[in-house]
Amino acid sequence: MTEARILVVEDEDSLAETLRYNLEREGFGVTVAADGRRGLERFRAERPDLVVLDLMLPEISGLDVCRAIRGESEVPIIILTAKDAEADKVAGLELGADDYVTKPFSVRELVSRVRALLRRSRIGSPGEEEVLRGGPVELDVARHEVRVGGEPVGFPPKEFELLETLLRRKGRLLTPRRP
Ligand code: CA
């Protein structure tokens, strides 16, 4: 498998270059975009395997970029948040970001989170052609497609994830999570 391509959307040059240097050294392909508008452009042009997204960005805010990407793709997103911006972090996760790191962070920590997310997103990635079934419902994991009686039906990302979880656990007892 070729190494993953990562889009870094970050307007602080020094941090962006530090991330590029370290991620490339780990063998990833890296594209850097310095504002939200270019971040979305690069995302649409390159379809990266993972996005590292600063929330405080010029042009289009990180939260709006996150929302826009999530409307188009299930790509893993790690948001970068400021220490005093708890509300942004929560908003980002609610918009569908998969993970976050709080600035200032260690690059090693970020790299390990990148690896963990890529591992997760590659379970059932193309090549395995994994299809989960439950009655007339088929869920094509690689293509992110739900079919009922063979016909594709539109499914929002959150509901897709929920259905995937349910189908994977089929036959196992679901217990409520303890508070
Ligand atoms: Ca910033």
Side-chain angles (χ1 to χ4, degrees), residues 78-143:
I78 301 178
I79 51 177
L80 308 179
T81 66
K83 204 173 187 169
D84 53 358
E86 178 81 7
D88 280 357
K89 180 184 86 189
V90 172
L93 293 174
E94 282 181 353
L95 285 175
D98 298 276
D99 203 353
Y100 68 93
V101 289
T102 303
K103 293 179 177 183
F105 55 85
S106 84
V107 174
R108 267 176 65 189
E109 182 190 351
L110 181 74
V111 169
S112 74
R113 284 172 189 245
V114 165
R115 288 201 178 288
L117 268 183
L118 286 172
R119 263 198 309 276
R120 253 193 271 163
S121 74
R122 280 178 175 174
I123 296 171
S125 62
E128 295 183 28
E129 296 291 313
E130 188 179 13
V131 176
L132 305 172
R133 290 188 178 82
V137 179
E138 290 178 337
L139 184 144
D140 189 323
V141 177
R143 296 170 65 185

Side-chain angles (χ1 to χ4, degrees), residues 2 6 24 28 30 39 52 68 73 84 109 114 138 143 145 159-160 168 171 176:
T2 52
I6 298 172
E24 284 181 348
F28 297 113
V30 180
V52 175
S73 162
D84 53 358
E109 182 190 351
V114 165
E138 290 178 337
R143 296 170 65 185
E145 190 176 88
E159 281 76 3
F160 185 93
R168 283 190 193 284

Side-chain angles (χ1 to χ4, degrees), residues 10-12 54-58 103:
E10 167 60 73
D11 59 313
E12 276 170 63
D54 184 28
L55 287 188
M56 297 286 284
L57 289 171
K103 293 179 177 183

